[in-house]
């Protein structure tokens, strides 16, 4: 059961459903809130997030052995992202990672925290680590711009869409043109009992989850539980760029990561859809994406963007021609959908490939 945010008591607040339940979808004017959030003039309540901490001397080296990311040398205040995978390389957990010198903080989707905490606890063996689900004590709030009044709070800064050390970009878009650069993102850890006071002290307006989701979709940023299902591998969502270190040591799922990256292709690919907005409605997440009469994927996230109108993310078959016009079918309501590549159909098979499509981090 989600924890109800005290910010739901604000005038005009309408509670969100799904993963954001317990927080406000909006406070009366979603598009105005979205504009303010995009300009860095608003903050959003992310207290539906789960928070897990790992303390102890072995915490970083231990997490390094379990996860897809190189975090053994993570410095205090440095942000990263890690995945915990199945043996088949499928995504089981996606965590935002921040270390403060004493504890490592893992910010996850709310329903992930109990399961993640229990699994990590089962993997301690004789190591000097202590795992705690601290969701009841710590809330999360997000913003596009740093919040000066929150400088004393720990903050995770999203690495997306920069290519992290050891990562690769699977998009065909030139990196400076990636829309994710238009959405820097910060998530602050705030004592839950002080959330209302912190928001008041920020001097910022409040934006609901609808605003945050629209900016996320426009940035092509995948979200666990939205863009993922029980078969998702990181390559399909371009998560190799921020959440996977291709040269680190052995971890569960590494064989699939290496095989698909070096020798194969991911079977599906994430795509951004610009939807025909003439119906003045939006298709539901989960709606089939069609090429002619053939179903080739599904919509994973959808929003009304304050500038672009109706937009969506979808996961479709890799073989779909990027130039094809697609259709979203929401129980007979049809929406024309123009696709933009997030993951290229040519992603993978890096062995022997000339440099170009799959980009490593630029020298600094």
């Amino acid at each position: 059961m989600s924890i109800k945010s005290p910010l739901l008591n604000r005038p005009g607040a309408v509670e969100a459903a799904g993963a954001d339940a317990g927080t406000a979808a909006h406070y009366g004017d979603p598009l105005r809130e979205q504009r303010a959030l995009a300009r860095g003039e608003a903050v959003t309540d992310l207290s539906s997030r789960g928070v897990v901490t790992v303390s102890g001397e072995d915490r970083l080296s231990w997490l390094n052995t379990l996860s897809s990311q190189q975090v053994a040398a993570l410095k205090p205040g440095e942000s990263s992202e890690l995945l915990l995978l199945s043996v088949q390389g499928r995504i089981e957990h996606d965590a935002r990672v921040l270390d403060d010198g004493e504890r490592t903080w893992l910010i996850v989707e709310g329903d992930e925290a109990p399961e993640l905490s229990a699994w990590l606890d089962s993997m301690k063996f004789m190591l000097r680590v202590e795992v705690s689900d601290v969701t009841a004590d710590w809330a999360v709030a997000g913003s596009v711009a740093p919040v000066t009044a929150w400088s004393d709070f720990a903050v995770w800064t999203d690495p997306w869409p920069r290519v992290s050390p050891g990562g690769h970009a699977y998009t065909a878009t030139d990196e400076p043109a990636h829309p994710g650069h238009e959405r820097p993102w910060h998530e602050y850890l705030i004592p839950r009992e002080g959330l209302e006071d912190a928001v008041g002290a920020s001097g910022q307006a409040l934006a609901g989850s609808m605003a945050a989701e629209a900016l996320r979709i426009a940035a092509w940023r995948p979200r666990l539980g939205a863009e993922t299902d029980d078969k998702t591998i990181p390559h399909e969502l371009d998560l190799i760029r921020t959440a996977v270190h291709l040269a680190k040591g052995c971890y569960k799922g590494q064989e699939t990561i290496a095989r698909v990256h070096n020798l194969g292709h991911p079977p599906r690919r994430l795509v951004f859809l610009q939807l025909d907005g003439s119906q003045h409605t939006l298709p539901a997440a989960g709606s089939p994406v069609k090429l002619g009469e053939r179903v080739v994927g599904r919509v994973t996230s959808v929003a009304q963007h304050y500038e672009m109108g109706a937009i969506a993310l979808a996961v479709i078959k890799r073989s779909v021609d990027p130039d094809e016009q697609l259709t979203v079918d929401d129980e007979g309501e049809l929406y024309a959908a123009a696709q933009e590549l997030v993951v290229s159909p040519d992603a993978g098979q890096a062995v022997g490939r000339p440099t170009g499509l799959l980009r490593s981090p630029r020298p600094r």
Side-chain angles (χ1 to χ4, degrees), residues 167 265 353:
H265 295 294
R353 180 189 294 272

Side-chain angles (χ1 to χ4, degrees), residues 58-128:
D58 298 328
R59 64 188 185 281
L60 289 175
S61 59
W62 177 63
L63 287 170
N64 196 71
T65 64
L66 297 175
S67 75
S68 63
Q69 188 56 278
Q70 178 65 264
V71 295
L74 193 69
K75 298 175 182 177
E78 186 178 359
S79 300
S80 187
E81 179 181 16
L82 63 77
L83 303 174
L84 297 173
L85 307 173
S86 71
V87 173
Q88 296 80 20
R90 295 168 181 169
I91 299 173
E92 294 187 335
H93 296 285
D94 180 354
R96 306 155 184 85
V97 188
L98 177 72
D99 195 83
D100 63 10
E102 297 180 356
R103 292 172 293 184
T104 302
W105 299 80
L106 305 176
I107 303 173
V108 297
E109 298 297 333
D111 58 0
E112 274 194 276
E115 181 183 346
L116 174 61
S117 179
W119 184 81
L120 288 174
D121 205 52
S122 73
M123 298 297 291
K124 290 191 309 184
F125 305 114
M126 300 297 291
L127 294 173
R128 295 167 294 180

Side-chain angles (χ1 to χ4, degrees), residues 32-344:
R32 179 186 59 79
E33 295 164 25
Q34 191 183 143
R35 291 188 190 95
L37 187 62
R39 290 195 300 260
E41 298 170 359
V43 297
T44 189
D45 181 5
L46 303 174
S47 60
S48 57
R49 295 270 203 266
V51 183
V52 174
T53 60
V54 183
S55 56
E57 294 180 36
D58 298 328
R59 64 188 185 281
L60 289 175
S61 59
W62 177 63
L63 287 170
N64 196 71
T65 64
L66 297 175
S67 75
S68 63
Q69 188 56 278
Q70 178 65 264
V71 295
L74 193 69
K75 298 175 182 177
E78 186 178 359
S79 300
S80 187
E81 179 181 16
L82 63 77
L83 303 174
L84 297 173
L85 307 173
S86 71
V87 173
Q88 296 80 20
R90 295 168 181 169
I91 299 173
E92 294 187 335
H93 296 285
D94 180 354
R96 306 155 184 85
V97 188
L98 177 72
D99 195 83
D100 63 10
E102 297 180 356
R103 292 172 293 184
T104 302
W105 299 80
L106 305 176
I107 303 173
V108 297
E109 298 297 333
D111 58 0
E112 274 194 276
E115 181 183 346
L116 174 61
S117 179
W119 184 81
L120 288 174
D121 205 52
S122 73
M123 298 297 291
K124 290 191 309 184
F125 305 114
M126 300 297 291
L127 294 173
R128 295 167 294 180
V129 294
E130 198 63 44
V131 179
S132 301
D133 180 351
V134 297
T135 304
D137 301 319
W138 290 89
V140 181
S143 66
V144 166
V147 181
T148 303
W150 291 353
S151 59
D152 290 338
F153 296 136
V155 56
W156 176 81
T157 298
D158 194 352
W160 186 269
R162 298 183 307 278
V163 183
S164 299
H168 272 86
Y170 272 19
T171 179
T173 302
D174 289 339
E175 288 309 299
H178 194 294
H181 290 296
E182 299 177 11
R183 174 217 175 243
W185 190 247
H186 311 278
E187 297 191 0
Y188 289 85
L189 288 155
I190 301 172
R192 194 171 285 273
E193 63 182 12
L195 179 61
E196 272 193 294
D197 290 341
V199 169
S202 74
Q204 303 278 65
L206 264 176
S209 62
M210 289 176 66
E213 279 293 276
L215 299 187
R216 177 185 71 81
I217 293 167
W220 302 354
R221 195 13 161 156
R223 181 179 183 183
L224 191 78
E227 279 60 60
T228 63
D229 57 25
D230 59 1
K231 296 181 180 179
T232 304
I233 59 176
H235 318 65
E236 296 174 329
L237 307 182
D238 202 22
L239 279 173
I240 301 293
R241 71 166 62 226
T242 55
V244 176
H245 194 294
L246 292 166
K248 75 179 290 285
C250 185
Y251 57 92
K252 189 169 68 171
Q254 183 193 22
E255 183 179 349
T256 297
I257 295 294
R259 185 174 63 249
V260 174
H261 176 71
N262 292 314
L263 303 174
H265 295 294
R268 302 177 296 181
R269 59 183 180 88
L270 185 65
V271 65
F272 175 81
L273 299 178
Q274 183 72 59
L275 302 174
D276 176 13
S278 62
Q279 292 103 316
H280 305 293
T281 57
L282 295 173
S287 297
V289 178
K290 292 182 173 181
L291 176 57
E293 294 300 314
R294 181 168 63 100
V295 175
V296 295
R298 65 180 181 90
V299 169
T300 56
S301 299
V302 63
Q304 187 75 25
H305 191 271
Y306 73 104
E307 289 183 331
M308 292 184 285
I311 59 173
L313 292 174
V315 175
I316 64 174
K317 293 180 179 179
R318 181 185 67 84
S319 58
V320 174
D321 188 330
D323 294 325
E324 290 283 3
Q325 181 81 20
L326 303 176
T327 303
V328 175
D329 185 349
D330 184 2
E331 298 184 345
E333 185 85 17
L334 302 181
Y335 300 80
Q339 55 172 317
E340 292 183 31
L341 288 180
V342 177
V343 172
S344 169

